[in-house]
Amino acid sequence: MTITLNGEKKEIPSGLTVRGLLELLEIKPERVAVEINEEIVRKATYAEAPVRENDRVEVVQFMGGGAA
């Protein structure tokens, strides 16, 4: 199926959850925030939250750093 991931079309297997998508992308769930169709997905629901055909998914990775 096709989704839009961070602004780019991507083919992924059907039936994935947010957790499954992150595993497919080799991204650690504790280091990201995920939004599907402009709604934030709570980390506690990653294993149940489905990713569907034509969803717009944004995965934002946290970066370290700060003021000197």
Side-chain angles (χ1 to χ4, degrees):
M1 75 178 176
T2 304
I3 64 170
T4 301
L5 177 65
N6 293 344
E8 295 183 20
K9 295 285 185 189
K10 181 159 183 79
E11 289 292 324
I12 63 168
S14 295
L16 287 181
T17 61
V18 169
R19 186 180 236 355
L21 176 63
L22 294 175
E23 288 172 0
L24 178 74
L25 299 171
E26 298 180 357
I27 295 173
K28 295 181 181 187
E30 59 275 3
R31 295 185 164 208
V32 297
V34 178
E35 184 180 277
I36 296 179
N37 301 323
E38 300 182 4
E39 291 189 26
I40 295 172
V41 180
R42 291 182 29 236
K43 285 188 189 302
T45 66
Y46 282 5
E48 299 92 40
V51 179
R52 297 184 176 101
E53 180 79 23
N54 297 318
D55 274 351
R56 291 181 323 278
V57 181
E58 296 291 326
V59 177
V60 180
Q61 296 192 28
F62 299 115
M63 302 288 246

